[in-house]
Amino acid sequence: MSTMSTPPLTPWLRQPLADLLRQRGHAWLLQGPSGIGQYELALALAAAWLCEQPAQEGGAACGHCASCHAIEVRTHADLCVLMPEVAMQELGWPLDEKAQADIDDKKRKASREIRVEAMRDAVGFAQRTSARGRGKVVLVYPAERMNTITANALLKTLEEPVGDVRFVLASEAAWQLLPTIRSRCLGFTLPWPETAEAEAWLVAQDVPPADAAALLRAAGGRPSDALRLARSGQSPKAWSLFPKAISRGDVGALSDHAPAQAVGALQKLCHDLMAVGNGAEPRFFEAADLPAAPSRLALARWSKSLANAARTAEHPFNAGLMLEALVSEARSTLNSAARRP
Ligand SMILES: [Zn+2]
């Protein structure tokens, strides 16, 4: 089996990890906006809990012992990872045999939610004895991808923890979780990384130094999202030209975007125009790259329409038509500013 090596923890997550390890909670909810490392921190916490030789200072996982190795190769008997199947595939975690066979045989698609079957396995896992004698860990990510049935099954286990099992839930939308789940966990909010720290990290991931600042800005300060933009071939130059291309109605500016990404890019533009309209600094674009801000009413209408589009963008009826409609609406919104008296 091919394995995906775990990159070292980003600098801005080291202190949070040390803070978490100093405390005794058996169920943590790590929360904060996407793209700043909930999953990475959750995995580092699980690895530290299970490590056979954790560091003297801070207690982080050693990275070399049998337990750390088993996590590295995704076969640790005392770690249960609960994720939507698409996330497991993306992050290199093996699916259980039956699920993999069903997907291979095209009986169904990989799930975008945490499946009830997987939760049942996790409940069973929580009740077994630890294989390596250092306790067990259930990692849930993104925790907001549990439906009510799955969440209630987890809740039972959280309420009556059996023996030596610990939980770490990581969420990018914690407000979507059942309040009863939130109240059973200790909450921990991830800090935003410093800009300089995030840029240095991007450069260390092979992003050209000249592009790091612009991509980080395009990602609204979220380093993982910036890295994803870099790897998807987003050029900082094209990003800076994007607002004006859209106000000209140039569909080409979105042609290499999947519908969900296209909606996301337009939402950033709409956000920045609203900010500028309210006298604030733009977040995703340079002020000089933005067209004149349309009226608040026009922007509010556009924002609402983009939020609706975001809900259907994962499975659009016709991606090409959707992009054309998005650009056409953006263009008329942006040009309404020019017509204002
Ligand atoms: Zn170790």
Side-chain angles (χ1 to χ4, degrees):
M1 190 187 82
S2 73
T3 58
M4 192 188 261
S5 82
T6 312
L9 202 58
T10 56
W12 60 89
L13 294 179
R14 285 178 204 147
Q15 190 57 47
L17 177 64
D19 293 346
L20 285 164
L21 286 170
R22 251 198 311 276
Q23 304 177 60
R24 287 198 154 270
H26 92 279
W28 282 102
L29 170 60
L30 312 182
Q31 53 197 339
S34 69
I36 59 176
Q38 281 86 335
Y39 164 72
E40 288 78 6
L41 184 58
L43 187 58
L45 184 61
W49 280 338
L50 296 169
C51 177
E52 288 160 14
Q53 301 150 355
Q56 299 290 318
E57 292 267 321
C62 72
H64 309 293
C65 71
S67 169
C68 287
H69 179 71
I71 291 178
E72 184 83 11
V73 299
R74 310 298 201 225
T75 58
H76 202 299
D78 292 330
L79 174 63
C80 170
V81 167
L82 266 179
M83 293 184 194
E85 288 164 348
V86 287
M88 298 198 68
Q89 291 173 330
E90 206 173 291
L91 295 165
W93 289 94
L95 301 183
D96 91 65
E97 242 167 76
K98 168 93 170 65
Q100 187 66 56
D102 285 353
I103 294 166
D104 289 346
D105 297 346
K106 304 214 161 36
K107 284 189 189 148
R108 60 177 182 82
K109 286 187 175 175
S111 73
R112 294 185 166 275
E113 276 198 340
I114 294 171
R115 300 183 76 227
V116 180
E117 291 80 355
M119 180 58 78
R120 279 197 207 112
D121 291 347
V123 170
F125 165 88
Q127 286 159 355
R128 284 196 295 273
T129 4
S130 145
R132 292 181 162 273
R134 294 198 57 86
K136 288 170 299 179
V137 180
V138 177
L139 186 161
V140 189
Y141 170 81
E144 69 271 16
R145 295 289 177 89
M146 289 185 284
N147 62 29
T148 319
I149 299 170
T150 355
N152 276 311
L154 176 67
L155 190 61
K156 269 209 155 122
T157 315
L158 281 175
E159 280 169 344
E160 300 151 23
V162 225
D164 50 3
V165 61
R166 291 194 262 196
F167 297 86
V168 53
L169 283 63
S171 176
E172 291 161 358
W175 66 89
Q176 293 176 9
L177 292 173
L178 288 183
T180 39
I181 292 266
R182 284 201 308 259
S183 69
R184 286 286 160 189
C185 299
L186 291 169
F188 184 90
T189 303
L190 271 72
W192 279 93
E194 301 285 338
T195 306
E197 217 171 30
E199 285 178 22
W201 177 77
L202 285 170
V203 172
Q205 313 304 309
D206 295 329
V207 173
D211 295 354
L215 288 174
L216 189 63
R217 172 175 267 274
R222 299 169 184 186
S224 312
D225 291 356
L227 184 59
R228 208 168 302 139
L229 287 177
R231 293 197 172 148
S232 72
Q234 173 71 56
S235 95
K237 179 83 183 146
W239 183 251
S240 72
L241 296 173
F242 179 78
K244 284 175 185 154
I246 292 299
S247 65
R248 285 194 310 271
D250 179 1
V251 183
L254 286 174
S255 59
D256 54 352
H257 287 56
Q261 287 175 302
V263 174
L266 293 170
Q267 284 178 316
K268 289 176 179 177
L269 178 54
C270 183
H271 168 279
D272 273 9
L273 289 168
M274 282 180 162
V276 170
N278 289 323
E281 288 292 311
R283 174 156 171 221
F284 304 100
F285 296 93
E286 298 283 353
D289 293 331
L290 291 170
S295 71
R296 281 184 199 189
L297 185 64
L299 285 174
R301 209 178 285 140
W302 188 30
S303 166
K304 201 168 165 200
S305 163
L306 286 171
N308 281 330
R311 279 194 278 280
T312 55
E314 297 262 7
H315 306 284
F317 178 62
N318 178 320
L321 280 181
M322 181 172 182
L323 287 185
E324 278 177 32
L326 285 170
V327 173
S328 157
E329 182 184 31
R331 181 190 180 190
S332 62
T333 306
L334 296 177
N335 288 288
S336 66
R339 287 197 304 272
R340 262 200 299 168

